[in-house]
Amino acid sequence: MSVSFQQISAFKSYSSWAKDSVFQFVRPNSTNTNNRSARWTTPSAAIIPNFHLPMRSYEVKNRTSTDDIRSLRLITAIKTPYLPDGRFDLEAYDALVNMQIEDGADGVIVGGTTGEGQLMSWDEHIMLIGHTINCFGTSIKVIGNTGSNSTREAVHATEQGFAVGMHAALHINPYYGKTSLEGMVAHFQSVLPMGPTIIYNVPSRTGQDIPPPVIHTIAANANFAGIKECVGHDRVKTYTGTGITVWSGNDDECHDSKWDYGATGVISVTSNLVPGLMRELLLRGKNPLLNEKLLPLIKWLFCEPNPIGVNTALAQLGVVRPIFRLPYVPLPLAKRVEFVNIVNGIGRENFVGEKDVKVLEDDDFMLVGRY
């Protein structure tokens, strides 16, 4: 077959496709008078749902149902510890997850804000999700933070997360660049087909609230498990009143959100330190005395942006090395002294680890900028 014939055949094939396609090409100098007065309209017909099909599997042997995720009450946003060169300290990480299992946590968020997913490459991120599933997937639910402000990245990371076995995904709305409400819906609908999904609303970090109309729209999807809500009690009540599962995203509000406003539970930072007490707070009925006892610790943890406080605390408890990936740095000495007093007030036996709590000096910490 000659090169010329191949080119002509390809052109004919292209012409036939273009004629039948939803994508129509209009020549600017067309002699067709009907085109001269035609008005431009949004090419909505060119948007093809699931044109790039998600790499989902319908094998159900080891799958977790959306209802299983909805039943989780205490979910810990697990800390990621580091070695001196900035790589993951998997030995310390495994110990942290084991302590969560032993003290009754129902699930862990891997690579969330607390776990510093924002400082990970996607390779690191998916590796840690896979490692957690392989080691602990039969003992605790593993929820991978595969959200992104880029829909393309969120789709790809979520495909990979479910491929390595995570039980559910956590998704944030597109931050920084933001989008319209319609764009939020389209973003979430791009990832929901892949498996059980928790939506995360934290306007203080994203700069944009996810309003109830968006959640009510995507709630029709069978894979929508619920929402981690940080706006407050009134918003929690808005959802629980319509049957939507809510986890409080604020440790200082989770007791009241659970017992007075109908929240299922909490996705917690504080439970990295006192998982047993946080479980008691959520499972054994209203306990304002315990809630009041924990508030000074919670206030201390969030005196600077999370995860600075929890990183400092776990280092002082001796369960992780005092190593920070920049731009995070430890809390100042006065706060480290305050933490020791808080631990002694609540009782060292209620905190993770077995070593005595210490006031670490500035020189004890290592800050890693390249890893």
Side-chain angles (χ1 to χ4, degrees):
M1 184 183 293
S2 68
V3 174
S4 298
F5 182 79
Q6 288 177 332
Q7 292 173 335
I8 292 171
S9 298
F11 178 77
K12 288 181 178 178
S13 176
Y14 163 81
S15 300
S16 174
W17 171 84
K19 185 182 300 182
D20 298 331
S21 172
V22 294
F23 298 93
Q24 296 296 318
F25 303 93
V26 180
R27 298 181 179 85
N29 296 323
S30 173
T31 56
N32 187 337
T33 56
N34 291 331
N35 286 334
R36 293 177 182 174
S37 60
R39 297 180 63 185
W40 183 87
T41 58
T42 303
S44 57
I47 301 174
I48 305 175
N50 290 329
F51 180 75
H52 176 71
L53 294 174
M55 297 190 299
R56 60 178 179 261
S57 167
Y58 293 104
E59 176 59 49
V60 296
K61 181 178 179 181
N62 295 315
R63 285 300 182 97
T64 297
S65 72
T66 305
D67 284 339
D68 287 339
I69 300 301
R70 291 183 182 129
S71 70
L72 307 180
R73 290 159 293 184
L74 175 58
I75 303 173
T76 298
I78 197 77
K79 149 77 176 165
T80 306
Y82 303 113
L83 295 167
D85 61 3
R87 291 177 300 133
F88 296 157
D89 184 347
L90 292 180
E91 184 179 353
Y93 177 82
D94 292 349
L96 290 176
V97 178
N98 269 316
M99 286 184 276
Q100 293 297 317
I101 294 169
E102 290 169 3
D103 284 340
D106 299 312
V108 289
I109 302 288
V110 178
T113 306
T114 307
E116 299 180 24
Q118 62 274 16
L119 304 186
M120 297 178 189
S121 68
W122 279 115
D123 283 346
E124 288 180 312
H125 212 130
I126 300 302
M127 181 274 280
L128 192 60
I129 292 171
H131 172 80
T132 311
I133 278 288
N134 287 333
C135 294
F136 308 105
T138 59
S139 302
I140 197 167
K141 296 304 181 188
V142 178
I143 302 160
N145 171 31
T146 54
S148 173
N149 58 349
S150 161
T151 304
R152 179 184 65 85
E153 285 191 8
V155 167
H156 184 63
T158 305
E159 287 174 343
Q160 292 186 321
F162 280 115
V164 300
M166 69 182 184
H167 298 121
L170 180 73
H171 279 282
I172 202 164
N173 51 306
Y175 50 88
Y176 186 67
K178 306 180 185 179
T179 185
S180 63
L181 299 188
E182 292 81 3
M184 277 191 205
V185 170
H187 176 82
F188 292 136
Q189 286 178 339
S190 295
V191 294
L192 276 164
M194 299 177 202
T197 300
I198 297 173
I199 302 300
Y200 181 17
N201 186 33
V202 55
S204 63
R205 288 190 181 272
T206 64
Q208 187 175 27
D209 181 32
I210 306 175
V214 170
I215 297 302
H216 287 132
T217 299
I218 64 174
N221 190 295
N223 284 330
F224 174 79
I227 181 169
K228 175 185 178 183
E229 183 57 76
C230 297
V231 167
H233 295 315
D234 290 342
R235 182 67 63 84
V236 170
K237 186 63 176 177
T238 296
Y239 292 133
T240 58
T242 58
I244 291 175
T245 300
V246 180
W247 293 271
S248 173
N250 301 322
D251 284 348
D252 60 341
E253 296 181 347
C254 70
H255 174 269
D256 293 348
S257 285
K258 164 71 174 177
W259 300 111
D260 296 333
Y261 296 91
T264 293
V266 64
I267 297 179
S268 175
V269 176
T270 308
S271 56
N272 276 280
L273 307 179
V274 287
L277 293 183
M278 291 300 293
R279 180 175 175 82
E280 182 178 345
L281 197 67
L282 293 169
L283 269 68
R284 298 183 183 176
K286 293 186 72 169
N287 193 337
L289 292 179
L290 177 57
N291 189 51
E292 191 69 24
K293 185 177 182 180
L294 289 173
L295 285 178
L297 172 62
I298 295 170
K299 182 179 179 181
W300 182 91
L301 277 172
F302 294 95
C303 66
E304 293 288 354
N306 181 52
I308 294 171
V310 71
N311 288 355
T312 305
L314 288 170
Q316 290 188 245
L317 290 167
V319 293
V320 304
R321 290 178 170 88
I323 298 167
F324 283 63
R325 279 186 175 183
L326 288 169
Y328 299 121
V329 298
L331 290 175
L333 181 59
K335 283 293 181 180
R336 301 198 294 268
V337 171
E338 183 183 341
F339 177 68
V340 172
N341 295 330
I342 290 173
V343 171
N344 291 333
I346 295 174
R348 176 63 183 90
E349 69 278 6
N350 293 306
F351 285 77
V352 295
E354 297 178 354
K355 297 179 181 179
D356 291 337
V357 61
K358 294 182 179 179
V359 178
L360 297 179
E361 300 297 331
D362 291 345
D363 292 343
D364 292 326
F365 291 92
M366 179 180 294
L367 309 181
V368 183
R370 299 185 69 178
Y371 41 86

